[in-house]
Amino acid sequence: MEIKTLKNYKELSSTVADIVEYTLTLPEPKLILPTGSTPLGLYKELVNRQLDWSTTTTYNLDEYVDNTIQNQSYRYFMMENLFKHINMDDDNIYFSGDTAVWPDLSYGTEVDLCLLGIGGNGHIAFNEPGSSFESETRMVDLTEETIKDNSRFFPSINDVPTQAVTMGLKPIMSSKKIILMANGKHKKDILEQAMYGDITENIPASVLQTHTNMETFYCD
Ligand code: GLP
């Protein structure tokens, strides 16, 4: 598994934007999308390119449970940074937090492209260390490390929700193509462990080594 190191964050964002742009030319494309700070440049670039999203369906990876800070929901993040700027049909936007769509997010969805970031402890979506590689979409407890990492987006650490709904590792792995993005030196060590180390449920992202159509892009 190769980690492709790009010049800078701009190049990381535009490289992944090229792959998304190609995917949008497929018939009725289906994409899984992440939140976090890493995809922000990508979403900006995609908005600037004014692409046609009219036949696209998207599934978001995860959402907090019982979040009281309204503008920190992942739904809000996606609306603000992507959906309100593109011509997506609202009916084709799915969020993991909507329990009604869990079955869709667990079984048989033919996803063309899944985009991922990586958490400091090797989580993908909110599949924390110890998550089964066979896990389906479900509600999970967040680890202390993740709560601490994500507290930078909240007024205080006490405002960070302790639970989330996450797409499982199994539906993520059933995507036809997966791109993992990591931005910053602080991600390098966990990224190398995930891509070059043992395949272990202690580092959920390590399961990606077993995918046959997967690329990893990094910049520091
Ligand atoms: C959160 C999200 C993940 C994301 C991770 C990394 O925990 N649930 O999907 O990959 O943060 O975020 P960042 O890109 O801000 O480092």
Side-chain angles (χ1 to χ4, degrees):
M1 186 61 61
E2 187 195 352
I3 298 175
K4 293 176 184 153
T5 302
L6 299 172
K7 246 189 354 234
N8 50 38
Y9 183 58
K10 195 170 171 9
E11 196 177 287
L12 175 85
S13 302
S14 66
T15 301
V16 180
D18 289 346
I19 296 167
V20 174
E21 181 166 352
Y22 165 74
T23 307
L24 295 186
T25 66
L26 300 174
E28 303 196 353
K30 291 192 171 70
L31 274 75
I32 294 176
L33 299 177
T35 54
S37 53
T38 309
L40 277 172
L42 164 68
Y43 293 155
K44 204 162 177 208
E45 175 69 22
L46 289 171
V47 169
N48 285 341
R49 291 190 189 190
Q50 300 190 314
L51 306 171
D52 179 14
W53 294 75
S54 59
T55 63
T56 303
T57 300
T58 63
Y59 301 90
N60 257 89
L61 282 169
D62 44 15
E63 179 62 282
Y64 292 116
V65 171
D66 289 339
N67 173 31
T68 52
I69 310 297
Q70 207 176 358
N71 62 6
Q72 286 308 333
S73 75
Y74 284 172
R75 179 189 295 269
Y76 181 88
F77 174 98
M78 290 307 299
M79 295 312 296
E80 288 302 303
N81 293 300
L82 185 66
F83 295 140
K84 83 175 189 194
H85 308 287
I86 59 175
N87 66 337
M88 280 282 299
D89 180 341
D90 284 352
D91 291 343
N92 292 340
I93 299 173
Y94 293 96
F95 290 95
S96 300
D98 302 334
T99 48
V101 304
W102 286 13
D104 270 353
L105 296 175
S106 288
Y107 308 106
T109 305
E110 287 278 284
V111 168
D112 298 292
L113 178 64
C114 171
L115 304 177
L116 297 172
I118 184 168
N121 59 7
H123 73 234
I124 45 178
F126 271 132
N127 292 285
E128 296 279 36
S131 297
S132 163
F133 290 165
E134 294 301 310
S135 54
E136 299 284 3
T137 300
R138 67 205 186 285
M139 198 151 104
V140 293
D141 293 329
L142 302 180
T143 60
E144 259 177 55
E145 184 176 353
T146 296
I147 291 172
K148 202 161 153 250
D149 277 357
N150 290 357
S151 64
R152 68 202 144 108
F153 299 114
F154 289 83
S156 90
I157 194 158
N158 298 324
D159 295 311
V160 186
T162 56
Q163 290 188 308
V165 172
T166 183
M167 197 178 288
L169 293 171
K170 195 171 163 192
I172 288 172
M173 288 296 286
S174 69
S175 307
K176 292 180 199 162
K177 181 174 178 70
I178 300 181
I179 304 285
L180 178 63
M181 296 176 278
N183 171 30
K185 284 196 178 68
H186 62 296
K187 292 284 176 77
K188 194 165 188 191
D189 186 42
I190 189 67
L191 191 64
E192 286 178 347
Q193 285 183 56
M195 293 297 110
Y196 303 143
D198 291 345
I199 299 173
T200 161
E201 290 177 353
N202 293 330
I203 301 181
S206 67
V207 71
L208 299 171
Q209 291 184 43
T210 65
H211 198 280
T212 52
N213 188 2
M214 196 257 155
E215 285 184 284
T216 303
F217 295 111
Y218 167 77
C219 68
D220 55 20

